[in-house]
């Protein structure tokens, strides 16, 4: 944990042009932004099977030294263990608020994106299926896309979003964006 | 406004008006906002569905799920967030998301998945309030639903195994409780002196955890160390849910009957 940040740290995500979906792109951007804000160099590498390479099955993941860490939460903790942190200046109440707003974004926006990508028939047909399976030959592209769709639908049903209509989801997104807008106000960043 | 508002929900025990978190959230909000709610406790009748409880029925509407019920009450002018600023409203949404993501999985686990707790406390309690033969099926189904939800939202493929997830969800829940305690500090409610939606949610999720007697109590022990959260729950129970004498007697009899089973 005391080793310095190596120069060859890499971030893996899916293919940017043809394959990556909105939700995964968002997660990857978040990690890239975080590392940039900490002034840590990172090289972005695109691989078609990034999802399967990741230790937790989720993208993005970073390869630093001889360690592989995936998803924003664990990456932030990992970077903190190396001595870089963006939230040192916050007091306890602000840290609580920060975590709460992060969960709001995860809970509402990410779930809404997943819903739009995988449960809205129009989007699924036009964009998601085609993009998700694009690096693979037939019939693998269809099988993987259907499998992923089934997984996401199961998850939506478990958290109670299975019966939501598109309008309700959009209303939730609107509410979430309003909340974030209120919190940001006219400041350049959320906490200063 | 004159239309009667009826809430169907699970009943109470251990000093609580309801042991079901979501029902408790709605009941607390109704008390805070002054909504005249007639509470219909689900009991040993075949009437009504149990799957989606709590359910609010008015003359021409049936609303389920706490968030939708609260929205409906607000539209009927029963608004507990009247005095909140826009930023506080935004904070409310954020903290509710935090509770649902970090605390709810561990609460579900404590009630429905941890075998000692489930078989000695939760299952008998719910089974005694559901008519036979549904009492043999429904608790099991609710337990599977809880397990499913935990695994699908927190489990990591390809294993989706409970062991790995358990430690993480309890860690997250303890951290969430600490964060809530930090945020509450020494104030009476989360946003000043009057209770709001966030107070209803926190009370709804914390009170069952605080009061129900379980064999396996790691999360409960952690909660009891956070004295301001315990004080918060007790204050709300004493101020808003003080039982009338009649209800006291009924609860006492229910409790003694339960102890005899």
């Amino acid at each position: 944990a005391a080793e310095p940040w190596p120069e060859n740290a890499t971030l893996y995500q899916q293919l940017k042009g043809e394959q990556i979906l909105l939700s995964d792109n968002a997660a990857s951007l978040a990690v890239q932004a975080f590392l940039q804000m900490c002034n840590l160099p990172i090289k972005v590498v695109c691989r078609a099977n990034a999802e399967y390479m990741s230790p937790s099955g989720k993208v993005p993941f970073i390869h630093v030294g001889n360690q592989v860490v995936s998803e924003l939460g664990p990456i932030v903790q990992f970077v903190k263990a190396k001595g870089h942190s963006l939230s040192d200046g916050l007091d306890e109440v602000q840290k609580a608020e920060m975590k709460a707003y992060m969960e709001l974004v995860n809970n509402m926006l990410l779930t809404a994106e997943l819903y739009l990508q995988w449960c809205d028939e129009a989007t699924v047909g036009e964009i998601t299926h085609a993009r998700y399976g694009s690096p693979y030959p037939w019939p693998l592209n269809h099988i993987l896309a259907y499998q992923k769709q089934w997984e996401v639908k199961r998850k939506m049903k478990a958290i109670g979003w299975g019966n939501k209509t598109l309008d309700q989801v959009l209303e939730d997104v609107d509410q979430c964006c309003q909340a974030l807008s209120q919190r940001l106000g006219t400041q350049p960043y959320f906490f200063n | 406004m004159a239309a009667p508002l009826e809430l169907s929900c699970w009943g109470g025990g251990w000093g609580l008006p309801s042991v079901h978190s979501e029902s408790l959230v709605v009941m607390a909000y109704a008390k805070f906002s002054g909504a005249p709610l007639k509470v219909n406790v689900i009991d040993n009748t075949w009437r009504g569905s149990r799957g989606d409880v709590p359910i609010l029925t008015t003359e021409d509407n049936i609303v389920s799920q706490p968030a939708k019920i609260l929205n409906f009450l607000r539209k009927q002018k029963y608004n507990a967030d009247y005095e909140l600023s826009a930023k506080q409203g935004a904070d409310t949404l954020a903290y509710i998301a935090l509770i649902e993501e970090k605390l709810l999985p561990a609460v579900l686990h404590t009630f429905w998945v941890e075998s000692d707790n489930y078989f000695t406390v939760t299952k008998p309690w719910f089974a005694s309030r559901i008519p036979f033969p549904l009492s043999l099926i429904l608790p099991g189904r609710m337990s599977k639903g809880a397990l499913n939800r935990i695994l699908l939202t927190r489990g990591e493929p390809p294993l989706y195994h409970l062991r790995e997830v358990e430690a993480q969800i309890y860690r997250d829940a303890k951290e969430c409780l600490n964060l809530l305690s930090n945020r509450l500090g020494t104030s009476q409610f989360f946003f000043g002196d009057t209770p709001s939606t966030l107070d209803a949610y926190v009370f709804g999720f914390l009170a069952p955890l605080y009061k129900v007697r379980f064999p396996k109590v790691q999360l409960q022990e952690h909660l009891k160390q956070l004295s301001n959260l315990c004080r918060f729950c007790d204050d709300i129970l004493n101020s808003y849910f003080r039982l009338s004498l009649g209800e006291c007697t009924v609860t006492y009899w229910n409790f003694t009957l339960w102890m005899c089973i």
Side-chain angles (χ1 to χ4, degrees), chain B residues 165-179:
Chain B
V165 170
E166 266 173 14
Q168 180 66 38
I169 59 179
Y170 276 103
R171 250 201 309 269
D172 284 343
K174 287 177 186 162
E175 197 197 331
C176 179
L177 289 175
N178 291 344
L179 292 176

Side-chain angles (χ1 to χ4, degrees), chain B residues 39-104:
Chain B
V39 174
N40 280 338
V41 167
I42 297 182
D43 54 12
N44 269 308
T45 63
W46 284 95
R47 216 178 345 115
S49 78
R50 283 148 233 283
D52 291 338
V53 153
I55 299 181
L56 184 73
T57 22
T58 65
E59 267 175 17
D60 26 53
N61 271 315
I62 298 184
V63 191
S64 65
Q65 292 187 349
K68 289 194 201 150
I69 297 179
L70 261 53
N71 265 340
F72 181 81
L73 287 174
R74 274 188 213 111
K75 291 205 181 95
Q76 302 287 317
K77 308 272 188 278
Y78 296 114
N79 189 1
D81 297 341
Y82 192 67
E83 293 175 5
L84 295 186
S85 70
K87 179 182 172 305
Q88 289 173 324
D91 283 351
T92 303
L93 274 185
Y95 277 102
I96 293 176
L98 183 70
I99 294 175
E100 281 182 0
E101 272 293 307
K102 299 280 182 184
L103 188 58
L104 179 60

Side-chain angles (χ1 to χ4, degrees), chain A residues 10-183:
Chain A
T10 30
L11 175 138
Y12 288 89
Q13 65 172 41
Q14 290 116 325
L15 304 176
K16 208 188 298 202
E18 316 84 36
Q19 188 194 15
I20 197 165
L21 293 174
L22 195 62
S23 49
D24 296 329
N25 197 24
S28 178
L29 268 182
V31 173
Q32 287 177 50
F34 175 74
L35 292 171
Q36 294 262 22
M37 289 174 188
C38 292
N39 282 323
L40 296 171
I42 190 97
K43 198 161 68 91
V44 177
V45 171
C46 297
R47 289 266 183 283
N49 58 342
E51 216 180 347
Y52 301 100
M53 281 161 68
S54 156
S56 73
K58 301 215 170 78
V59 284
F61 65 94
I62 57 173
H63 180 205
V64 176
N66 58 355
Q67 282 168 307
V68 180
V69 190
S70 66
E71 291 186 80
L72 183 63
I75 292 178
V76 169
Q77 298 219 353
F78 176 74
V79 165
K80 188 162 175 199
K82 288 216 175 284
H84 305 270
S85 169
L86 287 181
S87 33
D88 281 340
L90 301 180
D91 65 32
E92 289 303 322
V93 173
Q94 285 178 311
K95 277 199 182 133
E97 263 188 48
M98 177 185 78
K99 296 219 159 109
Y101 275 95
M102 279 171 68
E103 286 311 323
L104 179 67
V105 169
N106 253 345
N107 206 345
M108 286 282 186
L109 291 183
L110 183 62
T111 319
E113 280 186 357
L114 281 176
Y115 179 93
L116 277 173
Q117 282 168 193
W118 292 104
C119 303
D120 176 47
E121 292 308 323
T123 319
V124 167
E126 268 183 48
I127 303 180
T128 321
H129 261 194
R131 281 187 76 96
Y132 188 74
S134 60
Y136 304 107
W138 188 92
L140 196 57
N141 54 353
H142 287 299
I143 298 176
L144 288 177
Y146 277 116
Q147 187 185 42
K148 179 83 180 178
Q149 185 178 20
W150 179 75
E151 254 178 58
V152 172
K153 278 196 166 156
R154 249 177 95 198
K155 181 173 166 179
M156 292 290 136
K157 197 153 159 254
I159 59 176
W161 281 55
N163 295 327
K164 282 200 179 184
T165 63
L166 188 60
D167 288 330
Q168 286 170 331
V169 171
L170 293 177
E171 220 181 276
D172 284 340
V173 170
D174 188 46
Q175 221 183 18
C176 177
C177 291
Q178 296 263 15
L180 288 171
S181 170
Q182 295 294 350
R183 182 63 185 80

